[in-house]
Amino acid sequence: MGLWGGRFQGRSDRDAWLLNASIGVDQRLAKQDIKGSIAWAEQLSQHGILSPAEHEQIQNGLNQILDEFNAHQFEFQAGDEDIHTAVERRLYEIIGATAGKLHTGRSRNDQVATDFRLWMLDNLPDLVSAIRDLQTRLVERAEGDLGVVMPSYTHLQRAQPVLTSHWWLSFFWPLERDILRLKQTMDLCGVLPLGSGAVAGTSMTVDREAMAQALGFDSISQNSMDAVSDRDFVAQFLFNASLCAVHLSKFAEQIILFSSSEFGFITLDDAFATGSSLMPQKKNPDVFELTRGKTGSLLGLLTGFMATLKGLPSTYDKDLQEDKQAVFQAFDTLMAIIPVFSGAIVTLRINADKMAAAIDPSMFATDVADVLVRAGIPFREAHGMVGEAVKLADETGRGIHQLSTKEWDAIIPTLNLDLSNVFSPQESIKLHSMVGGTAPQAVSVQINTARRCLNAK
Amino acid sequence: MGLWGGRFQGRSDRDAWLLNASIGVDQRLAKQDIKGSIAWAEQLSQHGILSPAEHEQIQNGLNQILDEFNAHQFEFQAGDEDIHTAVERRLYEIIGATAGKLHTGRSRNDQVATDFRLWMLDNLPDLVSAIRDLQTRLVERAEGDLGVVMPSYTHLQRAQPVLTSHWWLSFFWPLERDILRLKQTMDLCGVLPLGSGAVAGTSMTVDREAMAQALGFDSISQNSMDAVSDRDFVAQFLFNASLCAVHLSKFAEQIILFSSSEFGFITLDDAFATGSSLMPQKKNPDVFELTRGKTGSLLGLLTGFMATLKGLPSTYDKDLQEDKQAVFQAFDTLMAIIPVFSGAIVTLRINADKMAAAIDPSMFATDVADVLVRAGIPFREAHGMVGEAVKLADETGRGIHQLSTKEWDAIIPTLNLDLSNVFSPQESIKLHSMVGGTAPQAVSVQINTARRCLNAK
Amino acid sequence: MGLWGGRFQGRSDRDAWLLNASIGVDQRLAKQDIKGSIAWAEQLSQHGILSPAEHEQIQNGLNQILDEFNAHQFEFQAGDEDIHTAVERRLYEIIGATAGKLHTGRSRNDQVATDFRLWMLDNLPDLVSAIRDLQTRLVERAEGDLGVVMPSYTHLQRAQPVLTSHWWLSFFWPLERDILRLKQTMDLCGVLPLGSGAVAGTSMTVDREAMAQALGFDSISQNSMDAVSDRDFVAQFLFNASLCAVHLSKFAEQIILFSSSEFGFITLDDAFATGSSLMPQKKNPDVFELTRGKTGSLLGLLTGFMATLKGLPSTYDKDLQEDKQAVFQAFDTLMAIIPVFSGAIVTLRINADKMAAAIDPSMFATDVADVLVRAGIPFREAHGMVGEAVKLADETGRGIHQLSTKEWDAIIPTLNLDLSNVFSPQESIKLHSMVGGTAPQAVSVQINTARRCLNAK
Amino acid sequence: MGLWGGRFQGRSDRDAWLLNASIGVDQRLAKQDIKGSIAWAEQLSQHGILSPAEHEQIQNGLNQILDEFNAHQFEFQAGDEDIHTAVERRLYEIIGATAGKLHTGRSRNDQVATDFRLWMLDNLPDLVSAIRDLQTRLVERAEGDLGVVMPSYTHLQRAQPVLTSHWWLSFFWPLERDILRLKQTMDLCGVLPLGSGAVAGTSMTVDREAMAQALGFDSISQNSMDAVSDRDFVAQFLFNASLCAVHLSKFAEQIILFSSSEFGFITLDDAFATGSSLMPQKKNPDVFELTRGKTGSLLGLLTGFMATLKGLPSTYDKDLQEDKQAVFQAFDTLMAIIPVFSGAIVTLRINADKMAAAIDPSMFATDVADVLVRAGIPFREAHGMVGEAVKLADETGRGIHQLSTKEWDAIIPTLNLDLSNVFSPQESIKLHSMVGGTAPQAVSVQINTARRCLNAK
């Protein structure tokens, strides 16, 4: 039994039917579909379209179907084109002809838009929680690794010494922005389209605001033609998911780099590494590589859906059916990746000695320049002088900390500089004490700020 | 004179230098670069790094350069690698060696991030205004075309009659969401990175909060490693721009369709149409086709930059230099397209008779079903019965409004239905009177709501 | 039993293991994996690494597993990380310890690259066949509809009359290019990577050319580091698939347009149309809308995988595991869509009268201009004159065929033109008789050329 | 003077005109446009549409314009909408009214498609040459660095020793595939659309095959509706360019990694490195980072254009105008990047000692396993045993080469193995001697094969 056969003479072509059917994907909306129908039936009843007895029948029937889904006992049938058809078919089986009254004044167009937004509202909080958990692990590591110093990099070249805690926290803030974006997307989802009918609005009297409240929406849509085709919330979520994945991918990139033999800053726990079928010595960071790889795929989901959206000629077009597959895949991917990060971060070992050893003396060049600046030399000149010192050291196979006073004096003629305190990671780090800097006290402030974010819910 | 030559022996390879130089693109940040430098110098002065005299010199010099840019008299030179270099080079020319003190404690990494965010804060309001203007035109058309009826479409098949005003407003709400998104992106931009140095934070004492206030930022960044590489605001803007373009593209698609001979609902003013070099009769909607085409290109900018972001191994990497070209192109494209929409909408002619003529009787099928529903027949059965009526009418080359009472009775045995009022667009439209529906009173409410949005700033 | 546990102490984290496992996707390579292993064992035997008895054991075991897969009786187990592990695990169960000799000198890196290329070589011909079938239907329709005239469109505005056969064939040639591209991709796949080991080449003596021949490859890879990470063939196939989908999407777009009430050129058979749950009269072209929608998703697969490829730091990285999901989805989507097109095209009804009625007189404007040209007026002037005639006709609510001789003479002063034969679709069509034009004789030539392509295999 | 004003009453809206005009981009097609017009005029003359005198006039005029372009003396005017208009406008200025005869039987639709394909045929060989030059540098480095050993990596973990020459050549083969793809795209471009008119074919008698030959095309298009809208060649080139960029990006990634302090395998020449405005010691691989970044942008061009193509409703639509900007940007980007690679590769210094030092003993684990295999132990067991040895060595802070015979015997009970020759990079490398392997003799074969590719043109 389908929902639309009346005017049709022939049967569907089998290939066409299979292409058209969405039940394989949208069955995941089952609970939301039933919740939406319960709210709809409530309104039909309130406004006399259903008698109290009919309403009770329908409500009980829907609740029974909900129980069947919850108990994983719902049985799909070959003719179930989509989740809406499947639920209505089952309702007929349970309560008979009254089932046919449920769809009054409603279309699958506003129904699926409602179901899908409801699914987002039900599920995005889990994603937020997973991110929050990862952020918590980051703050904990920042607290635990406070004494450890490491080189920072720009252009993948050693730049300046930083606290490892500062590095950990540099992954906290992108995730904080991701959460803000997800919340903005949840706000966007909180606009109820139900009552928009197929395109022109419902022809029945219903209280849309009351439905919104009953279903947990914040407000109702203002234009039915827009409401049935608006998938901004899908695009926005796919963007959020992609950007979050980009953040994780960049994090993954650094873990992969830092667990290479050449860097050696990090040792992954065996539980989060993988071996080689050929090379017995290998210990590979597969899950982090997969994070990078899957980030590409997530970007593809965003791009693909935007390209689909771009081409729509009217209000609701069937092209939109591609929306759910994309969202589910993006959601599932992040929900698979993020806990692995949380687990891996907690268990990985920081090799503080290797980090410290990687802070080479040239990394204090800026600090030397700052000494000159404090002695009155314009920074740009100081930069040039220290550059020369680096060149001299390079050419003679030394570090700049090994240049003699005489050599320094040749470069910086008029000053007698004391550079004795400069060539120390701790001293260098301490200099960067403004908010957001890597000095211990600034990092402590940062940890407190991060903790406040976590506690803000 | 470059900003970094000290340690280098050879000259740059010419091809490499050209590839590396960004001045062709980032010169557009000139004013923001200078404003940022003025704020920075203020802090260097406040904290004793510049003497009052030096500060005055630098400030005057920068203001003079700003004047030169405003008067389009600034002259770039062959060696200007980027806008920062160009400004500092010029400052040297004007005030001499003191110019070398400006870059103290600062890096191009936090500088360019600041310039770029400032550019967004300076320019996105213009985009919002352009959208607001287009929205205003839409509301005006909705008000002006209130009596006009037209068919609505789903799947590009005629669905139900609607008010043309309702159709106009269906493009208002997506733009309203676009504006919300742009404002959220402006909030995201309002976090000052200045004071993050190259990566570890600045080594100078400065009041970052004061700088934020001076430059019009809301808050300051919390982690220097994140701050110098964070381009979330770029990705988010490119997404906003792409989605806004998708909305315009869909609008364009409908204008193109509706101004085809087959639809004939709309006649573009000659000022917004184009001819053919071969076919003298042609009047083509080129600017709307270009909107569709450029939407693809905008999606490419988003995709491309996300792919670039994904691959970064450290904090600041030069890959990020691709950010500005993408933003400028997206911004300029929208600023070129939107005013054309505003102009075209105001001047296009609605062909109300063709719209009315396109409302064929089968479009009242749902209304007939609703009559049956009100007579107690479950909607699903009613839907089937009317489907049969449609089929019968089709087979006999008539509309359903032409079926005889006898024929109706054969399909719906037990009821004596009065369908005399059903086959009227006005009656059909009136039925959809809930908020967001197409009934005149609902559309009036909608116009008021839209006006409130416009007035909300 | 995994393939790499030796050096590891702890067990895998459950989340990490699930993220890492690819068996859900790559089990589709089962037959290719076994064929590859049989060819590999043959070489190990030929060069004395396996004794004849061991070889026979392994070969028999692999053939038994192949039978199990063919009979859908192979049972996967929870610990099967990927298809290679699953097959080797089963081989152990069947033949015992000798199974451990199969992986000698081989890595999963060259193994999976071989399996995947083999899968392409095995399956792409099916896609080519499906396209060939669709092309055949197009040629048949072109032959069957030879007398039917219709308007052609540029910018979706009526342009010039054409034969419907010409329109049908305009979809033949893009598919012809798609087939050429697929064949070029098959050539690219026909380079055997087996024998590249993990990265440095195999350490065993094997005859790679002989393996290539045995497995149906054309040649062997020349650099092991490239061979294990080269996924050009994946990207190229995803591009081929996307572009083919773009062609189908554009075709779908026209079918959707032409089956709208406003065009009315085409009536889809009920077997290839879908109804509405709310509106009983609706007959929607869902499968064609889905084609458009899925084309977006396919473009996403291409984009996503390219973004993934872009970020690889070494030779084989686990990111590459995303390759198979993308290829399978792209392949399956096309294999689902194309037969629906073939079926729908055969069964759809052309409404020749509506097509003819849509050829309005202004469409002969170019032909009028050509008459002037033949009378010696430069085309550019002729174009202007006819443009004026169109304007005059428009303003007076007529077609240009209704202008009086006097009116024409006012526009074109010096000539006495006979336009009596111009305003006929058949006459207009006949004028375009060069190769590739729409004149009947040119279309006949075109059909013959198309038939030759089909017969060329 | 425009090409289409006749039927229009009002003037173009200024914003609309600016959006529509393409002269800023398509002026780059000037020479091709003129060449195409000369070939067209030749046909008009051959078939009596132009008199010999008119033909001579037009040809001389066009040649004069060509000279003006070649001498950079052509002056564009404000009203030049596109390159076709500009050339025709100038032709009028030079030869007067006869200029109006040139466009007879031709449309800008087939004209621009011809110009653009011709541009590809004219310019892609330069790109091929640039790639060939880079390949030549790679082969020269492979020849020059033949004795140098280095670690190879999978998953960015050290895998097995290889020859540096082998590594260099691993970038040769992807470029070889890029060249094949570009040539296939040139073949695709070599199909002449001229003579397709606006959409229905030309109405004039012309010899299209003769034009094809005159202009250097291989064949002519078979269907005018397809020919004016076919942009497969654009999509295919953008794909080729993207994939080529992906190859360069991966190469760049390795250069960036290998020139980090931690790897230290490579020292870039100063001419191809860049400094920091803040940190005097920095020497950054900016051009390689930009390669990665620009690869993202190129992928965006492909994606964007495919999304644009997807949405076309008819034959020629103005959306297609986005094609040229994308192609020019992709072409220019590659032509800017590739020579920098060629230059950088020639001048960079290989630090052979650091490479050798990075070959740690665990990288011989597979070789040890191979020894066990040759002694009759199944590889899978051997792999497990060596894995245990690696674990034991790890736990005791040694390399596996430092395990005592007794320790080995405890792991591999029954064999008295001589491992003395195993722990040598040279020995390990020699073992991989099959075609495509890293053994010196295999690499020599590979160099010869590569040289043959270079000589093949």
Side-chain angles (χ1 to χ4, degrees), chain A residues 131-153:
Chain A
I131 298 175
R132 274 278 176 258
D133 188 62
L134 173 53
Q135 284 182 305
T136 304
R137 300 305 144 243
L138 286 165
V139 174
E140 288 169 1
R141 289 253 31 170
E143 290 167 336
D145 295 329
L146 253 176
V148 184
V149 299
M150 67 185 286
S152 69
Y153 295 80

Side-chain angles (χ1 to χ4, degrees), chain B residues 190-365:
Chain B
V191 180
L192 179 73
L194 198 58
S196 298
V199 59
T202 183
S203 56
M204 297 294 141
T205 301
V206 291
D207 184 339
R208 295 186 63 214
E209 292 281 5
M211 280 195 298
Q213 213 168 350
L215 289 168
F217 286 79
D218 292 329
S219 62
I220 60 172
S221 58
Q222 300 297 317
N223 181 297
S224 59
M225 299 179 83
D226 174 41
V228 295
S229 61
D230 169 21
R231 292 297 184 277
D232 282 14
F233 69 99
V234 172
Q236 195 165 312
F237 171 70
L238 293 174
F239 169 71
N240 298 164
S242 286
L243 190 50
C244 180
V246 163
H247 295 145
L248 296 171
S249 180
K250 191 175 158 185
F251 193 1
E253 178 80 10
Q254 298 204 12
I255 290 178
I256 293 165
L257 275 173
F258 286 1
S259 60
S260 69
S261 297
E262 286 69 21
F263 282 84
F265 294 174
I266 276 175
T267 305
L268 288 176
D269 190 88
D270 280 6
F272 293 91
T274 315
S276 156
S277 70
L278 178 66
M279 298 172 286
Q281 88 281 8
K282 289 298 290 295
K283 183 172 164 184
N284 296 327
D286 288 45
V287 288
F288 298 98
E289 298 170 78
L290 283 167
T291 297
R292 282 189 318 210
K294 285 177 184 298
T295 299
S297 301
L298 255 70
L299 175 55
L301 294 175
L302 167 64
T303 301
F305 187 66
M306 294 282 281
T308 294
L309 266 191
K310 189 190 102 53
L312 301 185
S314 57
T315 56
Y316 184 84
D317 303 287
K318 195 59 168 274
D319 319 44
L320 290 174
Q321 189 166 293
E322 291 297 290
D323 57 0
K324 283 170 286 294
Q325 167 94 13
V327 164
F328 294 157
Q329 187 179 334
F331 180 84
D332 292 346
T333 301
L334 287 179
M335 291 300 281
I337 290 174
I338 294 171
V340 174
F341 268 79
S342 293
I345 284 170
V346 168
T347 55
L348 66 77
R349 196 174 68 232
I350 287 286
N351 302 320
D353 50 338
K354 293 220 173 163
M355 283 179 162
I359 298 175
D360 70 57
S362 75
M363 295 177 70
F364 305 109

